[in-house]
Amino acid sequence: MDGFTQVTIDFQTSHLIFPTVVGGILALLGLTIAVTRWQSLVGAGPYWGRILLDLDKVRFLGALALTVVYFSAMVPVGDIWPNTGIGFLSCSIPFLALSGLLFMHERRRSSLLILMAVSIAAPTFVWWLFGQVFFLTLP
């Protein structure tokens, strides 16, 4: 009975529990959709062909590439200053600025100044909020 009163946490893998559960649920829901609506999925070829033709490929692929680089760079940059959140902060500012530039239709001086202000202020506020208010360190 001694085992019921003790809890041991493997910190090397404990952070993987939630993403694994969410991934499993999403896979199960996707399989359910595929099984119950297979006829409409098979007939959707022309629809997706039209979507791919009308897609803004530069913005789509640019956003995809920026997101991959952002998440890939955050931990190595954060390892330079461990447990400070500087990795989050120094990766989030350029990510927001470049994402904003990518999706901005008219690049006027006033719009660029607002974008740069938001790109600096928003990650700094989130970094402060998580670090000082919630006592959580970001990568």
Side-chain angles (χ1 to χ4, degrees), residues 30-107:
L31 182 63
T32 304
I33 290 170
V35 167
T36 59
R37 302 186 185 257
W38 68 272
Q39 290 172 337
S40 61
L41 292 174
V42 169
Y47 170 78
W48 287 109
R50 193 173 66 251
I51 292 292
L52 290 176
L53 285 176
D54 295 339
L55 181 69
D56 186 349
K57 292 170 184 63
V58 172
R59 286 192 173 104
F60 177 74
L61 295 173
L64 194 62
L66 279 173
T67 304
V68 168
V69 169
Y70 172 66
F71 284 112
S72 298
M74 197 180 307
V75 172
V77 172
D79 286 343
I80 298 171
W81 303 282
N83 300 322
T84 60
I86 300 296
F88 165 80
L89 192 59
S90 59
C91 289
S92 295
I93 291 171
F95 175 72
L96 279 180
L98 292 172
S99 296
L101 283 172
L102 183 65
F103 286 99
M104 189 179 290
H105 290 282
E106 295 179 21
R107 293 183 176 96

Side-chain angles (χ1 to χ4, degrees), residues 11-34:
F11 287 106
Q12 297 296 325
T13 59
S14 64
H15 65 284
L16 300 174
I17 292 171
F18 187 69
T20 303
V21 169
V22 170
I25 291 170
L26 288 175
L28 184 65
L29 289 173
L31 182 63
T32 304
I33 290 170

